[in-house]
Amino acid sequence: MRNIDINMKILLTAINAKYIHSNPALYSLRAYAGEMDGREIQIAEYTINHRREDILADLYRRKPDMIAVSCYIWNWSMVSLLLPEIPKIMPGIPIWLGGPEVSYDAGEIMEKFPMVTGIMVGEGEETFKELIEGAKPLNEIRGIVYRSDNGIVRTGDRELTDLSKLPFLYYGLEQFENRIIYYESSRGCPYRCSYCLSSIDKKVRLRQLDIVKRELQFFLDHRVKQVKFVDRTFNCNHEHAMGIWQYLLEHDNGVTNFHFEIEADIISEEELELLSRMRPGLMQMEIGVQTVNPDTLREIRRSTNMERLKYVVERIRQGHNIHVHLDLIAGLPYEDYDSFRHSFNTVYAMEPEQLQLGFLKVLKGAYMHEMARSYEIQYLDTPPYEVLSTRWLPYDKVLLLKEVEEMVETYYNSNQFIYTIGLLEQVYPDAFSLYLSLAEFYREKGYFTQVPARSYRYQVLFEFGMTTPLREKEELLREVLTYDLYLRENVKSRPAFAPQMDADEQERFKKQMREFYEQEETERSYLAAYVSYDSRQMSKMTHMELFHYPVWEKNLKLQTDALSDSVAVLFDYQKRDPLTYEARTVVLP
């Protein structure tokens, strides 16, 4: 049996989670297949927010002769709805699937969806190329499951790909404008984490360093905003990681940001020293802590040295030049509610720029899937296969953690409320208690269903603060929250929670501001970057606020007394902290 006709239009199809995402797998398939006489390979990308009818209509208008769909945990529900409809508008069209969501139980999926012609299992570059070349019968193409007259056939496994033979994907950047650029310098992972599909293939393959440097230079030359490495454990090979980091340090263009997923406790002192010299904003580091419970770590087959991890995170943070993102997973074996609370507080104390509170996904093919019954894990039958309860964590506690997650995302990860949250932390026994209390306030007010607008969240936080012992320090709370607001937003409408001045003080302050900006127009003592603007323009592009407390101080204590005299703070929005996006501030004499 042979595969497909020689003259055809092939449509590689992706349904991404967001518009800013792209699907590098499809671009890799197309690039590896190369130019072929008589064949046209197109890529169609949609998002899960598109209407099913709109996707169907676009597929039809493209008039493909074959459709290949990339299947992941985030799009499988949409793909499952689309598959039965495609033959109704394009009868007889071959439909091929690929991706991690269909690789494990390909045979079952073929049974469930009789319109599917076949499934490419595992890494697909060579498989796809052989499939569309038409030189081999299907039964001689490794790495596929297909439908034949005798039933469903699974061919042998394909050898792992030599990464250095894969072509570069991004020579045309127009189609990736305002989207994340994903880049791959390695495949595989040396670790065996029981919840992760990467644990199936422990063989790590590296792309040759000279090739990687040449391709990174392309991104640097084109000044792309962000390049996100998809390597599962970027720093598992010391020489490879050092070579790339050293190159980025030496060729930094002052614009591009690079994101890496790393294993923190294996970072060497040499690597830490190199990282300390990076431009602020050049790099982001995502570190999967997952839990600090030693029994849980042992059960999920992670051998984390927690003290070393804490040390590395602190060393990276000391430089205030690298955005640190720490991950936790709720629902792991042997981690109950109190244990997770401890994990949360421990990781929170490391003060990352972002703390991702995720929930266990029981993925087909991972060891966790095999152990689900033993752990008494209940999870969603459909994607994302997320945990509902475990032997240690009942459903009601999972619901509480979901609410805590939303509060952390809104009030911590946004970096909009750093100083106010610092005050609130002082009236709670631990950080978890703060976010749990904030979640209870949201639930009582109905804010989980009627989500407050971004600008109104400051007012909500003020209302919440007034339900805590902070109400005894109302003026301090008002000023700190106002400082947080103007650090990030040049709003001209004064918020309701901001401290109010009496008429005389307000008139004096307006006069002082006019004098300041008029003086800046000639002297440029504080706003040198505004050389082409006059005093009126500068006053609109910046903000000046009067404070009676030293709200600009880090770790401001509740017991802080008011200043003997009011002080003006200038907010400069042209210069921002690359890690927190805070405006530059100047405490004026």
Side-chain angles (χ1 to χ4, degrees):
M1 177 180 180
R2 304 196 72 80
N3 43 15
I4 57 180
D5 294 335
I6 200 163
N7 294 307
M8 62 187 327
K9 180 179 179 180
I10 300 160
L11 190 62
L12 294 170
T13 308
I15 303 175
N16 302 321
K18 298 179 181 178
Y19 170 75
I20 61 170
H21 298 167
S22 58
N23 188 303
L26 297 192
Y27 291 92
S28 186
L29 293 182
R30 184 173 69 176
Y32 192 82
E35 297 294 330
M36 292 187 182
D37 292 339
R39 290 188 181 84
E40 179 186 358
I41 304 175
Q42 289 189 0
I43 290 177
E45 291 188 272
Y46 312 97
T47 77
I48 56 175
N49 297 315
H50 277 98
R51 294 172 63 246
R52 175 178 44 167
E53 294 81 358
D54 293 337
I55 296 176
L56 277 172
D58 190 65
L59 291 174
Y60 176 79
R61 292 189 182 106
R62 290 172 179 267
K63 302 298 182 185
D65 299 302
M66 168 184 162
I67 293 177
V69 186
S70 183
C71 304
Y72 293 86
I73 192 171
W74 59 79
N75 71 13
W76 181 239
S77 295
M78 174 66 86
V79 172
S80 298
L81 294 174
L82 281 170
L83 287 175
E85 313 304 334
I86 294 173
K88 297 176 183 177
I89 58 173
M90 292 179 277
I93 189 170
I95 302 173
W96 284 81
L97 307 180
E101 186 58 26
V102 295
S103 288
Y104 175 71
D105 54 355
E108 294 177 25
I109 291 171
M110 295 281 288
E111 294 281 2
K112 184 176 180 180
F113 296 97
M115 72 291 303
V116 172
T117 309
I119 295 175
M120 290 175 270
V121 176
E123 296 180 3
E125 284 90 357
E126 187 65 36
T127 302
F128 178 69
K129 183 177 182 180
E130 289 186 5
L131 184 67
I132 67 172
E133 280 177 340
K136 291 183 179 180
L138 291 181
N139 62 346
E140 293 183 12
I141 299 176
R142 290 185 174 276
I144 65 170
V145 177
Y146 68 94
R147 202 180 304 280
S148 75
D149 294 339
N150 298 320
I152 295 171
V153 178
R154 182 171 191 137
T155 62
D157 293 337
R158 182 173 290 282
E159 292 183 3
L160 297 175
T161 308
D162 180 349
L163 237 58
S164 297
K165 292 183 178 179
L166 298 180
F168 187 52
L169 311 182
Y170 294 108
Y171 287 115
L173 285 175
E174 299 82 8
Q175 58 201 319
F176 299 102
E177 190 173 353
N178 300 319
R179 303 172 77 185
I180 297 173
I181 297 288
Y182 296 100
Y183 183 76
E184 185 176 45
S185 77
S186 69
R187 281 185 188 173
C189 181
Y191 300 105
R192 302 182 302 117
C193 304
S194 64
Y195 50 82
C196 182
L197 291 178
S198 296
S199 63
I200 298 172
D201 170 27
K202 296 189 288 294
K203 184 179 179 182
V204 177
R205 290 149 289 144
L206 306 174
R207 194 163 174 82
Q208 289 177 11
L209 205 50
D210 59 333
I211 298 175
V212 173
K213 292 177 180 179
R214 185 169 64 246
E215 293 169 346
L216 294 181
Q217 190 59 52
F218 175 85
F219 297 135
L220 293 165
D221 290 342
H222 286 79
R223 301 173 73 81
V224 302
K225 186 175 181 180
Q226 185 182 56
V227 176
K228 190 167 186 177
F229 277 70
V230 295
D231 305 34
R232 298 308 303 160
T233 306
F234 174 78
N235 62 318
C236 64
N237 182 288
H238 172 74
E239 289 75 17
H240 186 76
M242 282 291 291
I244 291 173
W245 286 341
Q246 183 69 44
Y247 188 86
L248 295 179
L249 174 65
E250 295 171 357
H251 296 81
D252 178 23
N253 62 9
V255 175
T256 306
N257 166 267
F258 294 88
H259 179 104
F260 303 91
E261 292 186 35
I262 65 168
E263 190 72 16
D265 59 332
I266 66 171
I267 285 188
S268 67
E269 291 299 321
E270 183 184 13
E271 289 169 318
L272 286 172
E273 193 281 327
L274 177 62
L275 293 175
S276 71
R277 293 189 278 133
M278 300 294 179
R279 164 181 60 86
L282 173 60
M283 290 189 177
Q284 294 178 198
M285 297 294 179
E286 183 172 351
I287 300 168
V289 182
Q290 320 312 11
T291 178
V292 303
N293 184 320
D295 294 330
T296 302
L297 286 168
R298 193 178 307 110
E299 188 66 20
I300 64 176
R301 308 193 294 201
R302 286 179 65 87
S303 55
T304 304
N305 181 333
M306 197 56 62
E307 292 309 309
R308 176 67 184 175
L309 185 148
K310 291 178 184 177
Y311 166 77
V312 167
V313 171
E314 177 59 25
R315 277 287 305 275
I316 294 174
R317 286 194 64 259
Q318 282 175 359
H320 195 73
N321 64 331
I322 294 175
H323 181 283
V324 177
H325 178 145
L326 301 182
D327 294 334
L328 283 171
I329 297 178
L332 294 172
Y334 294 99
E335 182 123 83
D336 60 16
Y337 184 72
D338 289 336
S339 171
F340 186 83
R341 183 183 196 132
H342 175 65
S343 290
F344 179 95
N345 286 327
T346 302
V347 174
Y348 190 91
M350 298 181 198
E351 300 183 52
E353 275 70 43
Q354 282 205 312
L355 198 172
Q356 181 67 49
L357 200 171
F359 291 80
L360 176 67
K361 312 292 191 296
V362 183
L363 304 177
K364 295 174 289 185
Y367 181 68
M368 187 67 69
H369 185 264
E370 298 178 29
M371 296 297 294
R373 182 172 296 181
S374 173
Y375 299 146
E376 299 175 23
I377 297 178
Q378 296 293 331
Y379 60 94
L380 295 173
D381 285 340
T382 55
Y385 313 114
E386 193 168 271
V387 65
L388 297 171
S389 65
T390 73
R391 188 197 311 170
W392 303 271
L393 192 67
Y395 182 55
D396 62 338
K397 298 300 186 186
V398 171
L399 292 178
L400 284 180
L401 294 182
K402 283 280 186 182
E403 293 179 342
V404 169
E405 175 204 19
E406 190 165 336
M407 294 300 93
V408 170
E409 191 66 28
T410 300
Y411 288 102
Y412 184 85
N413 290 344
S414 65
N415 282 307
Q416 291 177 260
F417 310 92
I418 293 174
Y419 290 82
T420 309
I421 289 296
L423 273 188
L424 286 165
E425 287 171 5
Q426 298 175 50
V427 301
Y428 285 91
D430 55 48
F432 187 89
S433 299
L434 162 60
Y435 292 99
L436 183 63
S437 182
L438 188 52
E440 291 168 352
F441 178 78
Y442 255 60
R443 196 184 323 117
E444 290 169 4
K445 295 289 186 178
Y447 289 148
F448 281 120
T449 51
Q450 299 293 326
V451 181
R454 181 170 175 267
S455 59
Y456 191 67
R457 291 169 191 167
Y458 292 91
Q459 179 65 34
V460 172
L461 194 59
F462 172 73
E463 294 171 4
F464 169 72
M466 292 301 290
T467 69
T468 75
L470 261 182
R471 61 182 173 273
E472 303 298 327
K473 303 283 288 187
E474 180 179 344
E475 288 306 307
L476 176 61
L477 173 62
R478 287 180 181 274
E479 288 204 358
V480 171
L481 194 55
T482 301
Y483 185 71
D484 262 329
L485 172 67
Y486 285 114
L487 272 176
R488 290 153 192 88
E489 311 282 349
N490 187 14
V491 294
K492 296 307 178 185
S493 298
R494 194 163 182 78
F497 58 79
Q500 302 301 313
M501 304 181 196
D502 61 42
D504 290 342
E505 186 178 29
Q506 190 172 17
E507 191 57 38
R508 285 197 305 272
F509 186 50
K510 284 183 178 180
K511 180 175 181 293
Q512 290 169 344
M513 283 195 295
R514 282 195 303 271
E515 292 173 351
F516 170 82
Y517 285 111
E518 287 169 0
Q519 186 172 346
E520 275 302 295
E521 189 173 340
T522 58
E523 296 184 6
R524 308 291 177 179
S525 301
Y526 300 100
L527 297 172
Y530 295 74
V531 65
S532 59
Y533 301 101
D534 61 27
S535 60
R536 184 180 296 272
Q537 290 170 319
M538 284 189 289
S539 68
K540 291 181 178 179
M541 296 171 69
T542 62
H543 180 76
M544 196 182 297
E545 186 72 22
L546 205 60
F547 293 101
H548 301 84
Y549 288 87
V551 293
W552 53 87
E553 291 183 1
K554 293 287 186 182
N555 303 314
L556 183 68
K557 300 302 181 186
L558 280 177
Q559 296 75 22
T560 300
D561 293 326
L563 299 166
S564 57
D565 197 5
S566 58
V567 173
V569 174
L570 175 69
F571 297 85
D572 176 4
Y573 299 104
Q574 282 200 13
K575 291 186 178 180
R576 292 182 179 268
D577 186 306
L579 271 61
T580 63
Y581 205 59
E582 292 179 5
R584 179 179 76 101
T585 57
V586 180
V587 179
L588 297 171

